[in-house]
Amino acid sequence: MGIGKPCIEEIIIVEGKYDKAALSQVVNATVVTTDGFAVFKNKGLRNLLHRLAHERGVIILTDSDDAGMVIRNYLTGALPRETVRHAYIPELQGREARKKSSSRAGLIGVEGMHPEILLNALRSSGAIESGENTVRESISKADLYGWGLSGGVNSAKKRKMLQKKLDLPSNLSAKMLCQVLTILYGKAEIQEILEINEA
């Protein structure tokens, strides 16, 4: 499915990094992980999801086992209802290729689903597809470097200061930070914030 992958406007919330990797083969979208049950204790992540939901809307796509449903129900209650869509995968018996044994429930999770099943689940949720992933000009890793937020002696410190100022979780990867900054602020606004900080 490489070239021509559909772009999904909403933020897709999944449980873990393997689910995120599976979706990256299917669609162009911003995918955020809950790190399983960690979202229950991670206030910064919950706040970020709330902000992203207000900005773009979210699609919750969890495994169909009991743990996946607990996470889905928690997020449904924690996020503004009008911003949440639900995508469901079928209950298929089996295990993911990377695992030696199947899960306790014996069901294949998001990471093990065929790409067409994942795409159909997203489309069935009412996902908004477009030719562009964002309206704003995307922020890239090169931008982070140009602003001194990566690749420099004090880059980590500057990046942490910016994330604190913007009330973003401090453990975002560079790629996720680019996506979040693009969605919530855009390039011009971030440049302005950085210029004010340096003044």
Side-chain angles (χ1 to χ4, degrees):
M1 290 193 114
I3 298 172
K5 292 185 291 187
C7 292
I8 303 295
E9 287 293 324
E10 296 93 343
I11 309 304
I12 304 172
I13 303 174
V14 296
E15 293 177 57
K17 65 181 180 179
Y18 294 105
D19 301 333
K20 182 175 180 175
L23 278 176
S24 72
Q25 303 301 310
V26 179
V27 292
N28 288 318
T30 301
V31 182
V32 180
T33 66
T34 66
D35 296 326
F37 292 130
V39 71
F40 298 164
K41 295 181 180 178
N42 188 335
K43 186 177 179 185
L45 177 58
R46 289 194 310 273
N47 289 343
L48 175 61
L49 292 176
H50 204 272
R51 292 169 70 186
L52 292 172
H54 272 295
E55 189 67 32
R56 283 267 209 71
V58 296
I59 299 172
I60 301 172
L61 177 59
T62 60
D63 293 349
S64 51
D65 61 7
D66 290 343
M69 290 314 240
V70 168
I71 293 168
R72 179 185 295 275
N73 291 337
Y74 176 79
L75 291 172
T76 301
L79 299 173
R81 281 197 188 276
E82 68 278 6
T83 67
V84 177
R85 295 179 191 264
H86 291 275
Y88 296 94
I89 58 171
E91 292 184 354
L92 300 177
Q93 294 291 319
R95 66 175 176 83
E96 287 81 7
R98 72 176 177 87
K99 296 181 179 176
K100 292 182 179 176
S101 59
S102 58
S103 68
R104 190 174 2 165
L107 301 174
I108 299 173
V110 170
E111 71 172 274
M113 285 290 146
H114 188 277
E116 280 301 316
I117 292 175
L118 292 175
L119 187 55
N120 288 338
L122 291 170
R123 286 181 168 152
S124 295
S125 77
I128 301 169
E129 294 182 43
S130 70
E132 291 295 322
N133 211 20
T134 61
V135 188
R136 296 181 171 120
E137 185 180 0
S138 293
I139 293 171
S140 67
K141 289 181 184 178
D143 293 319
L144 296 184
Y145 179 81
W147 294 329
L149 297 172
S150 72
V153 178
N154 293 319
S155 294
K157 184 178 178 184
K158 286 179 76 172
R159 194 169 56 250
K160 298 290 182 203
M161 285 172 58
L162 177 66
Q163 287 169 285
K164 186 172 183 176
K165 181 178 180 66
L166 301 178
D167 197 25
L168 296 174
S170 61
N171 60 348
L172 294 176
S173 68
K175 182 178 180 182
M176 182 56 67
L177 179 60
C178 290
Q179 291 176 334
V180 167
L181 292 178
T182 298
I183 294 165
L184 295 177
Y185 299 98
K187 191 180 282 192
E189 192 172 347
I190 293 300
Q191 283 175 317
E192 189 177 315
I193 290 167
L194 292 170
E195 286 168 12
I196 289 169
N197 282 351
E198 290 178 1

